[in-house]
Amino acid sequence: MKLRSLLLLLFFTVSIASQAIEPVAQLFVSMPDSLLPSIEVNRRKDMIDLIHAGQKAQTATKLGGNAEMTLLQDSILSIDLSSQSKMAMRLYQTHRNDTLIALINTVYAPAGDSRVRVFNSAWDELPASKYIRPIAKEEFFIFPDSLSKEKRKELIRPIDIYLSTYTFETDGSLKVQQSWSDYLDKESYQQIRPYLKETIELHWNGKKFE
């Protein structure tokens, strides 16, 4: 009888624990190694357990460094993969009630640059261009009407590499931020700074980000 009670208690404990784990955490564990080769599955589980326990969710990586989970909620998580790279995941529901996974990988060298990819819940990659409107570098500029086209082209010309970082906002929007202050020389940046928008926000409408 005692054995039966113990088994029932164990069953209910496992059931409650499995229900408590956040949906994004479950997908983090099942994430293909090709997308996160530096952190093996058991160490991913350790990070989840640590952050649930209110401890520093840090683990060693296969590259010899340390990674730390800095945020875990139902639909979003963030990880510092190293001192120069970060990863963030967020789940989005479509108008058909399907789940999409948006994955952001950002590298700092030292200017930040992000790559955004989109997957279904089985981790099949989908064309990101179908879901995320591309941002042209010109969209970060607000020029007065008095500024000639020639002057505008002259100001933009030094930006030969388009660098930007993407982050998830608490309301589910995507914040896009230009990284030119860490890329351009000081003189070139000071010339364009008066005309720059720091960020652009893209909002999820159930079909795509606009």
Side-chain angles (χ1 to χ4, degrees):
M1 190 67 180
K2 289 184 178 179
L3 179 60
R4 183 183 177 187
S5 298
L6 184 60
L7 289 173
L8 283 172
L9 178 62
L10 180 62
F11 171 78
F12 285 118
T13 301
V14 172
S15 298
I16 291 170
S18 64
Q19 291 171 5
I21 189 170
E22 298 81 356
V24 73
Q26 296 178 38
L27 287 165
F28 173 62
V29 171
S30 68
M31 189 178 189
D33 290 342
S34 59
L35 296 175
L36 189 57
S38 63
I39 308 177
E40 60 188 14
V41 172
N42 286 336
R43 292 192 182 274
R44 298 178 204 175
K45 293 177 181 178
D46 289 342
M47 296 173 86
I48 295 167
D49 290 341
L50 287 168
I51 204 166
H52 281 163
Q55 299 181 41
K56 191 173 185 179
Q58 191 176 78
T59 188
T61 69
K62 292 181 180 179
L63 301 176
N66 289 305
E68 182 181 354
M69 183 178 287
T70 56
L71 174 67
L72 176 60
Q73 297 176 355
D74 280 352
S75 61
I76 184 172
L77 65 78
S78 298
I79 296 177
D80 290 343
L81 296 174
S82 71
S83 60
Q84 294 180 305
S85 62
K86 296 182 179 183
M87 185 192 81
M89 286 173 54
R90 200 184 198 288
L91 309 185
Y92 291 90
Q93 296 298 313
T94 71
H95 64 296
R96 295 179 179 177
N97 209 32
D98 297 323
T99 298
L100 293 181
I101 307 166
L103 180 68
I104 301 174
N105 283 99
T106 305
V107 176
Y108 298 88
D113 193 36
S114 295
R115 181 185 183 188
V116 187
R117 302 169 74 178
V118 179
F119 302 83
N120 63 21
S121 56
W123 283 108
D124 298 316
E125 188 162 10
L126 307 172
S129 58
K130 179 181 177 181
Y131 299 98
I132 303 173
R133 179 180 72 80
I135 304 292
K137 65 182 180 182
E138 288 79 8
E139 293 183 59
F140 282 104
F141 289 89
I142 304 175
F143 291 122
D145 293 338
S146 58
L147 207 64
S148 67
K149 286 186 177 181
E150 289 74 19
K151 182 60 177 179
R152 297 181 190 190
K153 289 181 180 179
E154 180 184 336
L155 287 168
I156 295 176
R157 190 174 294 115
I159 306 171
D160 54 347
I161 301 177
Y162 177 25
L163 300 175
S164 60
T165 59
Y166 283 68
T167 53
F168 297 118
E169 296 293 277
T170 53
D171 63 357
S173 60
L174 267 178
K175 183 174 76 173
V176 191
Q177 185 169 1
Q178 47 81 15
S179 303
W180 298 321
S181 62
D182 295 320
Y183 158 65
L184 294 173
D185 62 80
K186 186 175 181 179
E187 182 180 351
S188 297
Y189 181 72
Q190 290 302 324
Q191 287 179 349
I192 65 172
R193 186 177 180 181
Y195 311 106
L196 276 181
K197 259 195 302 190
E198 286 296 322
T199 62
I200 294 173
E201 284 196 2
L202 299 176
H203 298 275
W204 178 250
N205 63 11
K207 294 182 179 180
K208 58 183 178 179
F209 289 99
E210 288 187 322

